Amino acid sequence: MMKLWQFLSVILILSISPLEISGQNNSGIVSGSVFNSGQEPLVGVSVFVKGTNIGTMTDADGRFSVKAENGQNLEFRYIGYDTKVVTVNGKTMSVTMSENQVILDDVVVIGYGTQKKSDLTGSLSSVKGEDIVKTGDTNITQSLQGKAPGVYVTSNSGTPGAGATIRIRGYGSISTDLTPLYVVDGQPMEESSVNTINPIDIENIEVLKDASATAIYGSRGANGVILITTKKGKSGKTSITFDASFGWSNAINRVHMMNSDQLYSFLEEAYENDGMRMPRNITRLYHLDGEGLGPVDEYGEPTDINVYDTDWWNETTQTAFKHSYNLSVSGGTDKLTSHFSIGYLNQEGIVMTSDYERITLRVNNEYKFNKWITIGQTLGAAYVKSHDLNTPINEILLPDPFSPIYAKNADKQDPNYEFNKYMGSQYSYYSNPVAKLNRQKKEHLNRNIDGTAYLNINLGLKGLDFKTMLGFELPEYTYTKFNPFFDLRPNDTPYNMCTNVESKFLLENSVANTSSTELNYTFQNTLSYNNQFGKHSISAVAGFTWEAYTGRSFTAERLNTPSNSDAFQIVGAGTKEGTSTGSRYENYS
């Protein structure tokens, strides 16, 4: 296993590290070997002459040779080890590198501090940010599916941007909320707000499952805790990253419904089995051409072929495209580190008229005054707009194939033509799904700002730190629903055989608006002590947290606006009273 790891390290460094290999001239050549603390040779260690692009790597025996002069510094870098700088003083040297315990022991966030993952094997699942991005999912809750053992993740729906249901301790209740507690950079957040975070901004996610891991959060952690840490800057050269992705999706394993011929034959056989003749209205529907019937037989039944054969699934679904763009800038010095990112995502739904659009911004900074005092802040903002399906999927499959999509006799000069141009379903009790998808409007707007500001002070004793943090979350949500009035009766079949009355006309339009605003904030003060004595370690934390959750919401509806135009799709344009409700809450702990 060690040999395989060493080989992979060599391949990785070769692929990402452009080096100027030292020349063949023996003048000014420094040779040596690199070992770990057990005096085993390290393969693939990067050796650079600091301040230049001259470098090389150690071979299978840990040896290296590089062009350098006395007084220059050699920098040794290796995955899982602390970077080491050695000043050249002669032609040979032996270097011992120390293991980086933070990397090798995989320190993870837990509660109000950090701890070795090996100490929490049974109670914690950890997911790295790069694994989140690889899934290609729109939001964080979806991307956890299959990534965290013992965590059950199920999608809520197939609409773009839809979140997922997460259960950490199974389904242990039928009456209480089983949603886990979400904490982002120390600030508790609503699940809906968490899903507005760009997955590319995630450094790692820890899922606390057992009581021993969640106890510090009290009753709020009863359903488990999901700790999310966003990316922060690292000292060194400024890194600028831009990525763009494009994709598309189609429905698979679709349900194939009967076409007109198949449905007509099925109904005909059903009536014959009952010793009955096919009703005339069904026969006329089968031959409907929108302008009346063609030639008839001696019984007055149509003799021409079927005209319409509507596949409602094909008419309401599409190849859905998705594109996203992300720009991030990260870097800093030994004193100040910064991370900035901005992202844009646009995703269409497989069912037409559904979509999801998101714009995100995140700025994280940290400044070290000295070895005792560190201050920092995190700030994120998101704007999300999405449109729902205006009809359930099953109602797309159920209308009869006899009906056309559009009424041929619809008056194009009618100011309400865009709403009156559709044909009402004929045999089925379900509405024309193309009409229903395009007539109604269901729009969601989510705006969210979250952030923290913190101060960390080392109290002069190794491992003894005091941290104070103020965090907040400000989510705003708006939902608008519009149902237009329409009238298809003048444009319907002359036999007036629509069985679904609702698909023919709606005399009053309606506008409904729901809006909610919250302000959740946290004030934390913790005193922690972490130290190691030989093979033993001590970790303790004590603190005080004050949290507040405040918010208000209202829903209002009015009927009968002057027209269906966009200008009147607001609650204030309605001339007839509808319903209205409102609420306000405050919760402190």
mmCIF file of all heavy atoms in Angstrom, residues 49-73:
data_model
loop_
_atom_site.group_PDB
_atom_site.id
_atom_site.type_symbol
_atom_site.label_atom_id
_atom_site.label_comp_id
_atom_site.label_asym_id
_atom_site.label_seq_id
_atom_site.Cartn_x
_atom_site.Cartn_y
_atom_site.Cartn_z
ATOM 1 N N VAL A 49 14.263 25.305 -5.203
ATOM 2 C CA VAL A 49 15.124 26.395 -4.750
ATOM 3 C C VAL A 49 14.207 27.581 -4.537
ATOM 4 O O VAL A 49 13.621 28.108 -5.491
ATOM 5 C CB VAL A 49 16.222 26.727 -5.783
ATOM 6 C CG1 VAL A 49 17.085 27.877 -5.270
ATOM 7 C CG2 VAL A 49 17.070 25.492 -6.072
ATOM 8 N N LYS A 50 14.051 27.973 -3.288
ATOM 9 C CA LYS A 50 13.050 28.973 -2.935
ATOM 10 C C LYS A 50 13.295 30.281 -3.680
ATOM 11 O O LYS A 50 14.418 30.762 -3.787
ATOM 12 C CB LYS A 50 13.075 29.219 -1.421
ATOM 13 C CG LYS A 50 11.831 29.927 -0.902
ATOM 14 C CD LYS A 50 11.761 29.907 0.607
ATOM 15 C CE LYS A 50 10.460 30.538 1.079
ATOM 16 N NZ LYS A 50 10.337 30.529 2.548
ATOM 17 N N GLY A 51 12.211 30.829 -4.212
ATOM 18 C CA GLY A 51 12.292 32.077 -4.946
ATOM 19 C C GLY A 51 12.604 31.900 -6.423
ATOM 20 O O GLY A 51 12.718 32.888 -7.150
ATOM 21 N N THR A 52 12.764 30.648 -6.868
ATOM 22 C CA THR A 52 13.037 30.362 -8.277
ATOM 23 C C THR A 52 12.072 29.273 -8.743
ATOM 24 O O THR A 52 11.268 28.751 -7.968
ATOM 25 C CB THR A 52 14.476 29.877 -8.492
ATOM 26 O OG1 THR A 52 14.611 28.527 -8.003
ATOM 27 C CG2 THR A 52 15.474 30.771 -7.782
ATOM 28 N N ASN A 53 12.171 28.952 -10.059
ATOM 29 C CA ASN A 53 11.378 27.839 -10.570
ATOM 30 C C ASN A 53 12.243 26.603 -10.791
ATOM 31 O O ASN A 53 11.870 25.679 -11.513
ATOM 32 C CB ASN A 53 10.677 28.223 -11.873
ATOM 33 C CG ASN A 53 11.665 28.589 -12.973
ATOM 34 O OD1 ASN A 53 12.860 28.752 -12.716
ATOM 35 N ND2 ASN A 53 11.174 28.723 -14.194
ATOM 36 N N ILE A 54 13.399 26.563 -10.163
ATOM 37 C CA ILE A 54 14.300 25.419 -10.262
ATOM 38 C C ILE A 54 13.876 24.382 -9.232
ATOM 39 O O ILE A 54 13.674 24.709 -8.057
ATOM 40 C CB ILE A 54 15.764 25.837 -10.027
ATOM 41 C CG1 ILE A 54 16.205 26.857 -11.091
ATOM 42 C CG2 ILE A 54 16.685 24.634 -10.046
ATOM 43 C CD1 ILE A 54 17.568 27.443 -10.841
ATOM 44 N N GLY A 55 13.744 23.130 -9.650
ATOM 45 C CA GLY A 55 13.319 22.114 -8.715
ATOM 46 C C GLY A 55 13.460 20.718 -9.276
ATOM 47 O O GLY A 55 13.781 20.514 -10.447
ATOM 48 N N THR A 56 13.221 19.757 -8.437
ATOM 49 C CA THR A 56 13.279 18.361 -8.821
ATOM 50 C C THR A 56 12.441 17.564 -7.831
ATOM 51 O O THR A 56 11.744 18.142 -6.978
ATOM 52 C CB THR A 56 14.732 17.850 -8.848
ATOM 53 O OG1 THR A 56 14.763 16.521 -9.372
ATOM 54 C CG2 THR A 56 15.344 17.867 -7.461
ATOM 55 N N MET A 57 12.509 16.224 -7.918
ATOM 56 C CA MET A 57 11.797 15.359 -6.995
ATOM 57 C C MET A 57 12.712 14.230 -6.543
ATOM 58 O O MET A 57 13.653 13.852 -7.258
ATOM 59 C CB MET A 57 10.552 14.764 -7.663
ATOM 60 C CG MET A 57 9.441 15.776 -7.897
ATOM 61 S SD MET A 57 7.964 14.974 -8.557
ATOM 62 C CE MET A 57 8.607 14.318 -10.092
ATOM 63 N N THR A 58 12.421 13.680 -5.373
ATOM 64 C CA THR A 58 13.228 12.566 -4.878
ATOM 65 C C THR A 58 12.868 11.288 -5.632
ATOM 66 O O THR A 58 11.726 11.100 -6.066
ATOM 67 C CB THR A 58 13.000 12.348 -3.374
ATOM 68 O OG1 THR A 58 11.608 12.112 -3.136
ATOM 69 C CG2 THR A 58 13.431 13.562 -2.575
ATOM 70 N N ASP A 59 13.852 10.388 -5.772
ATOM 71 C CA ASP A 59 13.634 9.142 -6.499
ATOM 72 C C ASP A 59 13.113 8.055 -5.560
ATOM 73 O O ASP A 59 12.707 8.339 -4.420
ATOM 74 C CB ASP A 59 14.919 8.698 -7.198
ATOM 75 C CG ASP A 59 16.064 8.456 -6.229
ATOM 76 O OD1 ASP A 59 15.791 8.297 -5.012
ATOM 77 O OD2 ASP A 59 17.230 8.434 -6.658
ATOM 78 N N ALA A 60 13.155 6.794 -6.021
ATOM 79 C CA ALA A 60 12.603 5.680 -5.249
ATOM 80 C C ALA A 60 13.338 5.446 -3.938
ATOM 81 O O ALA A 60 12.795 4.829 -3.022
ATOM 82 C CB ALA A 60 12.616 4.412 -6.089
ATOM 83 N N ASP A 61 14.571 5.954 -3.834
ATOM 84 C CA ASP A 61 15.349 5.797 -2.605
ATOM 85 C C ASP A 61 15.359 7.071 -1.776
ATOM 86 O O ASP A 61 16.124 7.182 -0.802
ATOM 87 C CB ASP A 61 16.787 5.386 -2.941
ATOM 88 C CG ASP A 61 16.836 4.021 -3.603
ATOM 89 O OD1 ASP A 61 16.103 3.124 -3.143
ATOM 90 O OD2 ASP A 61 17.593 3.858 -4.582
ATOM 91 N N GLY A 62 14.526 8.059 -2.170
ATOM 92 C CA GLY A 62 14.461 9.310 -1.435
ATOM 93 C C GLY A 62 15.579 10.276 -1.745
ATOM 94 O O GLY A 62 15.736 11.287 -1.053
ATOM 95 N N ARG A 63 16.389 9.989 -2.791
ATOM 96 C CA ARG A 63 17.532 10.855 -3.107
ATOM 97 C C ARG A 63 17.128 11.939 -4.097
ATOM 98 O O ARG A 63 16.212 11.760 -4.905
ATOM 99 C CB ARG A 63 18.679 10.016 -3.681
ATOM 100 C CG ARG A 63 19.304 9.044 -2.687
ATOM 101 C CD ARG A 63 20.612 8.471 -3.235
ATOM 102 N NE ARG A 63 20.364 7.661 -4.420
ATOM 103 C CZ ARG A 63 20.283 6.329 -4.393
ATOM 104 N NH1 ARG A 63 20.423 5.670 -3.261
ATOM 105 N NH2 ARG A 63 20.063 5.655 -5.513
ATOM 106 N N PHE A 64 17.834 13.063 -4.055
ATOM 107 C CA PHE A 64 17.603 14.159 -4.993
ATOM 108 C C PHE A 64 18.930 14.821 -5.337
ATOM 109 O O PHE A 64 19.941 14.663 -4.640
ATOM 110 C CB PHE A 64 16.653 15.196 -4.380
ATOM 111 C CG PHE A 64 17.261 15.993 -3.257
ATOM 112 C CD1 PHE A 64 17.893 17.209 -3.503
ATOM 113 C CD2 PHE A 64 17.220 15.528 -1.948
ATOM 114 C CE1 PHE A 64 18.469 17.936 -2.467
ATOM 115 C CE2 PHE A 64 17.786 16.246 -0.908
ATOM 116 C CZ PHE A 64 18.408 17.457 -1.167
ATOM 117 N N SER A 65 18.892 15.588 -6.418
ATOM 118 C CA SER A 65 20.047 16.372 -6.844
ATOM 119 C C SER A 65 19.522 17.607 -7.544
ATOM 120 O O SER A 65 18.704 17.506 -8.470
ATOM 121 C CB SER A 65 20.931 15.556 -7.797
ATOM 122 O OG SER A 65 22.061 16.309 -8.209
ATOM 123 N N VAL A 66 19.954 18.794 -7.099
ATOM 124 C CA VAL A 66 19.421 20.034 -7.640
ATOM 125 C C VAL A 66 20.523 21.083 -7.715
ATOM 126 O O VAL A 66 21.473 21.072 -6.919
ATOM 127 C CB VAL A 66 18.238 20.537 -6.766
ATOM 128 C CG1 VAL A 66 18.727 20.938 -5.380
ATOM 129 C CG2 VAL A 66 17.505 21.681 -7.443
ATOM 130 N N LYS A 67 20.417 21.988 -8.661
ATOM 131 C CA LYS A 67 21.403 23.046 -8.843
ATOM 132 C C LYS A 67 21.109 24.184 -7.872
ATOM 133 O O LYS A 67 20.077 24.845 -7.960
ATOM 134 C CB LYS A 67 21.361 23.553 -10.273
ATOM 135 C CG LYS A 67 22.442 24.564 -10.607
ATOM 136 C CD LYS A 67 22.366 24.973 -12.071
ATOM 137 C CE LYS A 67 23.466 25.974 -12.418
ATOM 138 N NZ LYS A 67 23.400 26.370 -13.849
ATOM 139 N N ALA A 68 22.015 24.395 -6.916
ATOM 140 C CA ALA A 68 21.827 25.450 -5.910
ATOM 141 C C ALA A 68 23.175 25.869 -5.351
ATOM 142 O O ALA A 68 24.132 25.093 -5.349
ATOM 143 C CB ALA A 68 20.918 24.951 -4.789
ATOM 144 N N GLU A 69 23.260 27.097 -4.887
ATOM 145 C CA GLU A 69 24.487 27.651 -4.330
ATOM 146 C C GLU A 69 24.361 27.755 -2.810
ATOM 147 O O GLU A 69 23.251 27.784 -2.255
ATOM 148 C CB GLU A 69 24.757 29.043 -4.915
ATOM 149 C CG GLU A 69 24.863 29.073 -6.439
ATOM 150 C CD GLU A 69 26.095 28.343 -6.964
ATOM 151 O OE1 GLU A 69 27.061 28.169 -6.170
ATOM 152 O OE2 GLU A 69 26.092 27.940 -8.145
ATOM 153 N N ASN A 70 25.509 27.819 -2.142
ATOM 154 C CA ASN A 70 25.511 28.021 -0.690
ATOM 155 C C ASN A 70 24.751 29.295 -0.332
ATOM 156 O O ASN A 70 24.887 30.329 -0.996
ATOM 157 C CB ASN A 70 26.941 28.098 -0.163
ATOM 158 C CG ASN A 70 27.607 26.731 -0.111
ATOM 159 O OD1 ASN A 70 26.939 25.713 -0.151
ATOM 160 N ND2 ASN A 70 28.934 26.716 -0.025
ATOM 161 N N GLY A 71 23.967 29.214 0.726
ATOM 162 C CA GLY A 71 23.190 30.372 1.175
ATOM 163 C C GLY A 71 21.768 30.391 0.638
ATOM 164 O O GLY A 71 20.908 31.085 1.196
ATOM 165 N N GLN A 72 21.513 29.653 -0.462
ATOM 166 C CA GLN A 72 20.141 29.575 -0.965
ATOM 167 C C GLN A 72 19.322 28.593 -0.108
ATOM 168 O O GLN A 72 19.878 27.714 0.553
ATOM 169 C CB GLN A 72 20.119 29.116 -2.431
ATOM 170 C CG GLN A 72 20.640 30.170 -3.401
ATOM 171 C CD GLN A 72 20.457 29.735 -4.851
ATOM 172 O OE1 GLN A 72 20.934 28.669 -5.239
ATOM 173 N NE2 GLN A 72 19.790 30.568 -5.641
ATOM 174 N N ASN A 73 18.023 28.782 -0.137
ATOM 175 C CA ASN A 73 17.121 27.928 0.644
ATOM 176 C C ASN A 73 16.443 26.895 -0.243
ATOM 177 O O ASN A 73 15.928 27.231 -1.314
ATOM 178 C CB ASN A 73 16.052 28.767 1.351
ATOM 179 C CG ASN A 73 16.636 29.660 2.425
ATOM 180 O OD1 ASN A 73 17.576 29.256 3.128
ATOM 181 N ND2 ASN A 73 16.108 30.867 2.569
#
